[in-house]
Amino acid sequence: MGFTKLDYCQYLLSSQINYTLTNLAEHLENFSHDTINRYLRSERITPSLLWDNVKHILQRHENAYLIFDDTVLDKRYAKKIELTRRQYSGNEHRVIRGIGLVSCIYVNPETSQFWVIDYRVYDPDSDGKTKLEHVSEMISSLVTHKQLPFSTVLMDSWYATQKLMQLIDNLHKVYYCPLKRNRLVDDTGGIEKYQAIEHLVWSQPEIEQGKVIKIKGFPGDKKVKLFRVIVSTDKTEFVVTNDKTQDSTDVVQQVCAIRWKIEEFHREIKQLTGVEACQCRKARIQRHHIGCAMLVWLRLKTFAYQTGRTIYQLKHGLLCDYLIQQLKSPVIAMTLA
């Protein structure tokens, strides 16, 4: 039998540290490094394969949350790998060389369980698309093609643009997203000039219930509601929503806390699937490696939900099984003089 995507996914799931093709070939009897490399160059692994695997296991809910965000797969020492470019990393808080990845996760509001359902590799040199266009395409696909029920979209301040927010409005969905502190808004109904959000004056009722504002550059009749949300002792976010019936800052704070599940996803996929570890130069192989890492995370997360364990316990438990086996029947038995 030939090498398959199942073999490669099993390798990413089972390996603990080394995720290179060389290491894989050294642990397979019938397949060489070149054979695996040729397979990954010729195979077709796309986001649609992820959807085929997740659509039957996720828990649909009419009031589900969609969360979009991007991350950078760190390739700072690999200038010759295709797809890499210098871009800002929120994790590093600086510009690094890496591969941009835009992801979408689906959160069930009752169980708080979540699944990755779509992703895009950010490569404007090949497709000319921005991260905002990728998100717009994913939202449209979820509504028209996948027909997945949801009510609310959560996203970072990077995606708080008039075009994307209008798209969500047109779909009759609700969005919550923070605005940058220097974003120009008007809370006086046109009486005064636009001013930066950080300079707004808040009354006590507005602190508790939010205030209606207009964002500069938006249509004249388009008003949204702004909330001042205390994230931590040293961090305050200004969160905007198109749900003008929302009148509780506490509720907005709870909704925004759900957005951090995508940070949990990014941390898990980087630490447990080797998504950043592929050293192959070709863009096609990098794309297929990322697609397989998505499938591996999905398998681990699904099994974690089924067994009541964490995804980390499952992955590191493989080493525990190995240690138990070696203590019972060691390959190299310890001896003393």
Side-chain angles (χ1 to χ4, degrees), residues 33-272:
H33 174 279
D34 290 342
T35 299
I36 301 170
N37 189 284
R38 283 195 298 270
Y39 168 79
L40 290 176
R41 286 204 308 266
S42 60
E43 183 57 274
R44 180 173 175 79
I45 300 173
T46 65
S48 62
L49 180 61
L50 173 65
W51 173 246
D52 290 339
N53 281 269
V54 72
K55 63 184 178 182
H56 299 300
I57 60 177
L58 61 80
Q59 300 171 356
R60 288 170 166 79
H61 197 285
E62 291 297 328
N63 295 320
Y65 296 94
L66 284 185
I67 310 178
F68 293 93
D69 202 1
D70 60 274
T71 189
V72 178
L73 305 181
D74 193 341
K75 303 285 186 181
R76 69 183 74 186
Y77 303 116
K79 296 182 179 179
K80 294 185 179 180
I81 291 181
E82 297 174 1
L83 296 181
T84 62
R85 60 192 302 114
R86 288 182 57 79
Q87 51 196 304
Y88 181 79
S89 168
N91 186 48
E92 294 287 333
H93 302 291
R94 62 189 179 92
V95 175
I96 65 171
R97 176 170 290 276
I99 298 175
L101 183 65
V102 185
S103 306
C104 172
I105 67 172
Y106 186 84
V107 183
N108 183 294
E110 291 186 356
T111 65
S112 293
Q113 294 183 357
F114 63 93
W115 301 263
V116 58
I117 58 174
D118 207 348
Y119 70 93
R120 296 291 186 274
V121 174
Y122 175 55
D123 183 26
D125 292 337
S126 67
D127 57 27
K129 295 179 181 179
T130 66
K131 294 177 182 178
L132 293 169
E133 289 172 328
H134 283 310
V135 170
S136 297
E137 287 184 359
M138 285 191 279
I139 292 177
S140 299
S141 174
L142 288 169
V143 174
T144 60
H145 175 61
K146 299 181 174 69
Q147 298 182 343
L148 191 63
F150 67 96
S151 64
T152 307
V153 178
L154 308 178
M155 43 194 184
D156 198 4
S157 58
W158 174 262
Y159 300 98
T161 64
Q162 190 273 331
K163 186 175 181 180
L164 185 55
M165 294 160 89
Q166 184 63 51
L167 170 64
I168 299 172
D169 270 333
N170 293 341
L171 294 173
H172 306 292
K173 306 296 183 181
V174 173
Y175 59 75
Y176 288 86
C177 59
L179 297 181
K180 294 182 179 180
R181 304 176 73 90
N182 61 352
R183 194 75 175 263
L184 297 179
V185 300
D186 172 34
D187 64 345
T188 66
I191 298 176
E192 298 181 8
K193 294 181 179 180
Y194 288 98
Q195 60 179 322
I197 288 179
E198 61 184 349
H199 296 146
L200 293 179
V201 177
W202 294 76
S203 65
Q204 188 59 38
E206 289 173 337
I207 291 176
E208 297 174 355
Q209 302 174 7
K211 64 166 69 183
V212 177
I213 65 166
K214 179 182 178 301
I215 305 173
K216 186 176 183 179
F218 279 46
D221 60 344
K222 178 58 181 176
K223 302 292 180 62
V224 292
K225 205 159 187 183
L226 181 70
F227 294 84
R228 193 173 72 172
V229 177
I230 307 299
V231 179
S232 62
T233 55
D234 59 347
K235 183 177 181 181
T236 299
E237 282 190 343
F238 296 95
V239 179
V240 68
T241 178
N242 59 342
D243 181 9
K244 287 185 286 187
T245 64
Q246 179 61 261
D247 60 359
S248 172
T249 300
D250 291 338
V251 172
V252 174
Q253 187 173 26
Q254 294 170 10
V255 170
C256 290
I258 298 173
R259 196 179 84 236
W260 295 105
K261 287 188 179 296
I262 199 164
E263 300 297 337
E264 180 181 337
F265 162 69
H266 287 153
R267 182 175 63 252
E268 290 175 347
I269 196 171
K270 289 181 179 181
Q271 294 179 355
L272 302 177

